[in-house]
Amino acid sequence: MCLAVPVQVVAVEGDEAEVDAGGVRRRVSITLTPEVKVGQYVLLHTGYAINIIDEAEAKETLKLLEDMLRLDEASR
């Protein structure tokens, strides 16, 4: 199973972007999404931004992921 996680773009430089994933920043490739702009959300998979997504969709997905983590921690 593959998982792509929504992250927000905070800087763009050439064919790379700096993204924020829950407070963790890293540089990723935007060769598949060269039109991305600062402030937009992308789906990140294995270091590549594979698609630009709507902010509302990104935030809903992030909320669901956080809920899953909380449920997992509560079950331990």
Side-chain angles (χ1 to χ4, degrees), residues 10-28:
V10 295
V12 174
E13 185 178 316
D15 63 351
E16 291 188 328
E18 183 176 348
V19 297
D20 183 285
V24 176
R25 290 189 175 197
R26 65 176 291 185
R27 294 192 66 75
V28 302

Side-chain angles (χ1 to χ4, degrees), residues 50-69:
I50 60 173
N51 197 22
I52 299 170
I53 61 170
D54 177 80
E55 181 177 359
E57 180 182 357
K59 288 184 175 181
E60 178 62 24
T61 301
L62 290 169
K63 182 185 176 309
L64 290 170
L65 291 171
E66 289 172 9
D67 290 347
M68 288 172 32
L69 284 173

